[in-house]
Amino acid sequence: MSVQALPDESLEKADVLLSLKAAGKGKVCVSLQNQGNVIFTEERDLEERFTMKKEICHPRLWSAETPDLYDLVLEIFDECDKLQECICEKVGFRRFEIKDSVMCINGKRIVFCGVNRHEFSSIGGRQISEEELKKDLTTMKRHNINAIRTSHYPNASMLYRLCDLYGIYLIDEMNMETHGTWEKLSGVKGYDMVIPNDHTVWQGALLERAASMYERDKNHPSVLI
């Protein structure tokens, strides 16, 4: 599923673009809500490639300073009107663009006050609890940190959901390197043998990594780069 919430240049109107791959027959009910208020509800027949476009007036804009989120709810029914699946997605309306070589969000220049983050816990090692993630992000916000680079790999999904909620810009990365091998083996075999470089044998694996990360994280308003 793909969701885009795109304000126009005036920031007074925005389009919600929804696309969904489905199987079977039935119907889908789509609703968008904000702070308990229903913005729209629409029911349509389910198609193998389902698409929808809705215009929203005066959207509440998402940014690190004002991380306003909407709730998008999809209910999938079969031919007997029996609910088969319910999908809930957080949506943030934001316009990210480059103007005169300056990165802007919602028409204003972005100043990144960011950090490189490795996914590691002093308690659980590579397994980080939601409580620890919230503590990390709360500490960052208190120290005016507004951006994270996920060096050098995709982080746990919970981090992205919390960055949407707390208001943290993300530079999302997938590993195109070979940490742990080039440090140990470069002196033996040379860098050319232990890193992907331009060797086509690595191309499929690296493109698959990039595509997997994109498909998982594409709907998060916090992911800018």
Side-chain angles (χ1 to χ4, degrees):
M1 184 178 77
S2 174
V3 182
Q4 293 179 293
L6 305 174
D8 64 11
E9 287 193 25
S10 72
L11 304 178
E12 294 298 320
K13 293 182 180 180
D15 288 329
V16 178
L17 306 174
L18 171 65
S19 62
L20 177 71
K21 292 182 180 180
K25 296 181 179 180
K27 63 182 180 181
V28 55
C29 182
V30 182
S31 67
L32 185 71
Q33 304 174 27
N34 179 253
Q35 298 183 352
N37 299 314
V38 178
I39 309 303
F40 72 79
T41 298
E42 186 166 327
E43 185 177 292
R44 283 173 41 184
D45 291 336
L46 191 62
E47 301 171 356
E48 184 177 349
R49 291 190 175 272
F50 177 87
T51 60
M52 177 183 288
K53 180 179 179 180
K54 299 290 288 187
E55 185 178 87
I56 306 299
C57 294
H58 309 297
R60 299 172 67 91
L61 301 178
W62 187 95
S63 68
E65 292 76 24
T66 57
D68 284 307
L69 292 171
Y70 288 68
D71 294 301
L72 182 71
V73 180
L74 281 76
E75 294 177 300
I76 311 296
F77 298 87
D78 63 16
E79 291 181 284
C80 299
D81 285 338
K82 183 178 180 180
L83 181 65
Q84 296 295 321
E85 187 173 2
C86 184
I87 303 170
C88 301
E89 192 81 65
K90 294 290 185 182
V91 175
F93 289 88
R94 53 115 171 113
R95 185 180 179 88
F96 178 58
E97 57 192 336
I98 297 177
K99 291 184 175 181
D100 300 323
S101 301
V102 175
M103 284 188 288
C104 298
I105 192 161
N106 302 330
K108 298 180 180 179
R109 176 190 178 189
I110 300 175
V111 177
F112 287 114
C113 300
V115 294
N116 294 323
R117 178 181 183 272
H118 276 290
E119 196 153 70
F120 192 83
S121 163
S122 61
I123 300 171
R126 292 295 183 183
Q127 177 61 40
I128 305 175
S129 66
E130 182 177 350
E131 181 181 354
E132 289 176 287
L133 288 173
K134 289 180 177 179
K135 183 178 179 181
D136 282 351
L137 296 181
T138 300
T139 301
M140 291 180 190
K141 294 291 284 189
R142 286 174 176 169
H143 289 81
N144 296 317
I145 292 170
N146 69 354
I148 290 174
R149 171 178 168 251
T150 67
S151 53
H152 309 270
Y153 41 81
N155 283 195
S157 295
M158 178 59 68
L159 176 76
Y160 298 76
R161 291 194 289 270
L162 290 174
C163 285
D164 293 342
L165 182 64
Y166 281 64
I168 296 282
Y169 300 128
L170 282 170
I171 300 173
D172 203 9
E173 290 194 352
M174 44 74 71
N175 186 11
M176 294 187 69
E177 306 165 44
T178 46
H179 288 80
T181 58
W182 61 265
E183 293 173 327
K184 297 177 182 179
L185 301 177
S186 59
V188 179
K189 296 185 177 182
Y191 284 114
D192 195 53
M193 296 299 295
V194 296
I195 61 175
N197 211 341
D198 289 328
H199 299 306
T200 55
V201 68
W202 292 101
Q203 181 173 319
L206 293 178
L207 289 176
E208 185 178 12
R209 285 184 181 183
S212 296
M213 182 188 71
Y214 170 78
E215 290 297 335
R216 190 194 71 164
D217 301 336
K218 62 187 177 185
N219 293 334
H220 290 281
S222 56
V223 178
L224 297 189
I225 299 173

